[in-house]
Amino acid sequence: MDRFFTFEGIEGCGKTTQMRMAGDYLKSRGLMVTVTEEPGGSGFGRKIRDILLNKSSEDICAEAELLLFLSARAQHVKDVIKPALLREEIVLCDRFSDATLAYQGFGRGLNIETIHAMNAFATTALKPDKTFLFDLSPEMGLKRALSRISQRDHFLKEDRFEQEQIQFHERVREGYLSLAKMDPDRFIIIDASDGINAIQEQLRSLLLSFVNG
Ligand code: Z5A
């Protein structure tokens, strides 16, 4: 029986929408579910999120950025994810270790093997049972993400990553696809260009089969 599920993909791919809908659905079936996100998911993580995603942090170097994501993850695993798994709940997590490999590794060009080792240290080697990769072109993803951001209050804008060049997002997408190729038993690739309801139907049936499997 699988219980720890992560949701990954480039920005605007729709993973947050899908994860929340799936969480509500599983709860409506009487299952105990923790829905959480990275960076964030704990008080400490939210403080780091504010630093990392704000445009005013644009001069943070790639190494410092990596350490901040990992530091937030270490606390998140200890405070939120592991306790929920110990309570035998299902955990749905918006981004996890693969995001660091895709963004700081493939996107920023930091060493992939080093990130693997640092992820293992930060998570005490905790790995998701299954990872849903929502695959979408960066053009479409950024269009969705920017239209959502423009609707937010000016002071709540978290748009540092959306400011990156399209080539950065292409590298992230290709990075995710190569991670999926290396671990086909864990990754499930979902065509995120489909409609919200069609994707949700597919996701619900996959989740139920993994949870009951
Ligand atoms: N990051 C990192 O670099 N390293 C790490 O280790 C970690 C993270 C953990 C987190 O930002 C940023 O941190 C992220 C990577 C980096 N880079 N960025 N940006 P975030 O948490 O604020 O954002 P995000 O994770 O990228 O997700 P997002 O922008 O919230 O997008 P999403 O989750 O993919 O999509 P969504 O919010 O569900 O949908 C976006 C919009 O599209 C929304 O208006 C929806 O109504 C709409 N939507 C959703 N699905 C559809 C479909 N199917 N059709 C049409 N429209 C849709």
Side-chain angles (χ1 to χ4, degrees), residues 75-193:
Q75 199 69 37
H76 187 214
V77 166
K78 184 170 183 294
D79 289 351
V80 179
I81 300 178
K82 279 201 167 167
L85 292 173
L86 279 173
R87 294 192 300 271
E88 304 203 332
E89 293 185 11
I90 293 164
V91 175
L92 307 184
C93 186
D94 194 345
R95 297 196 184 281
F96 194 61
S97 300
D98 297 304
T100 317
L101 290 162
Y103 280 84
Q104 280 64 53
F106 291 93
R108 302 258 190 251
L110 295 182
N111 185 276
I112 298 288
E113 288 314 311
T114 305
I115 299 176
H116 270 298
M118 291 172 84
N119 263 332
F121 175 74
T123 61
T124 58
L126 178 71
K127 280 183 86 174
D129 294 316
K130 291 281 184 271
T131 296
F132 297 105
L133 172 56
F134 291 79
D135 184 50
L136 190 67
S137 73
E139 289 80 8
M140 211 183 245
L142 289 176
K143 205 168 142 198
R144 287 186 194 166
L146 290 172
S147 92
R148 192 209 48 204
I149 284 171
S150 66
Q151 292 156 14
R152 288 186 194 161
D153 182 276
H154 175 74
F155 294 103
L156 292 177
K157 282 184 181 177
E158 291 176 333
D159 56 359
R160 192 166 67 88
F161 279 87
E162 284 81 356
Q163 306 287 322
E164 292 288 346
Q165 302 290 320
I166 200 86
Q167 292 88 335
F168 172 82
H169 298 283
E170 288 286 3
R171 289 198 299 278
V172 172
R173 181 192 195 188
E174 291 307 317
Y176 269 128
L177 289 171
S178 62
L179 292 172
K181 214 169 170 181
M182 283 186 280
D183 199 351
D185 289 342
R186 175 165 67 89
F187 275 90
I188 297 101
I189 300 177
I190 291 186
D191 178 358
S193 66

Side-chain angles (χ1 to χ4, degrees), residues 10-18 37-39 49 53 65 69 73 94-96 99-100 103-104 144-145 147-148 158 161-162 192 194-196 199:
I10 61 160
E11 34 277 89
C13 65
K15 62 187 167 37
T16 307
T17 304
Q18 294 297 335
E37 65 169 2
E38 291 206 357
R49 180 185 180 91
L53 301 192
E65 181 184 81
F69 277 117
R73 178 161 309 130
D94 194 345
R95 297 196 184 281
F96 194 61
T100 317
Y103 280 84
Q104 280 64 53
R144 287 186 194 166
S147 92
R148 192 209 48 204
E158 291 176 333
F161 279 87
E162 284 81 356
D194 232 332
I196 291 180
I199 297 173

Side-chain angles (χ1 to χ4, degrees), residues 10-90:
I10 61 160
E11 34 277 89
C13 65
K15 62 187 167 37
T16 307
T17 304
Q18 294 297 335
M19 183 189 73
R20 290 187 182 153
M21 288 169 77
D24 289 344
Y25 170 70
L26 294 176
K27 285 178 194 167
S28 77
R29 292 181 62 103
L31 295 162
M32 298 295 285
V33 186
T34 289
V35 176
T36 187
E37 65 169 2
E38 291 206 357
S42 68
F44 175 72
R46 277 186 289 277
K47 283 184 203 157
I48 294 188
R49 180 185 180 91
D50 288 346
I51 299 172
L52 278 167
L53 301 192
N54 199 288
K55 204 163 48 175
S56 66
S57 305
E58 62 198 350
D59 54 352
I60 289 183
C61 68
E63 290 78 3
E65 181 184 81
L66 169 66
L67 291 166
L68 285 170
F69 277 117
L70 290 167
S71 154
R73 178 161 309 130
Q75 199 69 37
H76 187 214
V77 166
K78 184 170 183 294
D79 289 351
V80 179
I81 300 178
K82 279 201 167 167
L85 292 173
L86 279 173
R87 294 192 300 271
E88 304 203 332
E89 293 185 11
I90 293 164

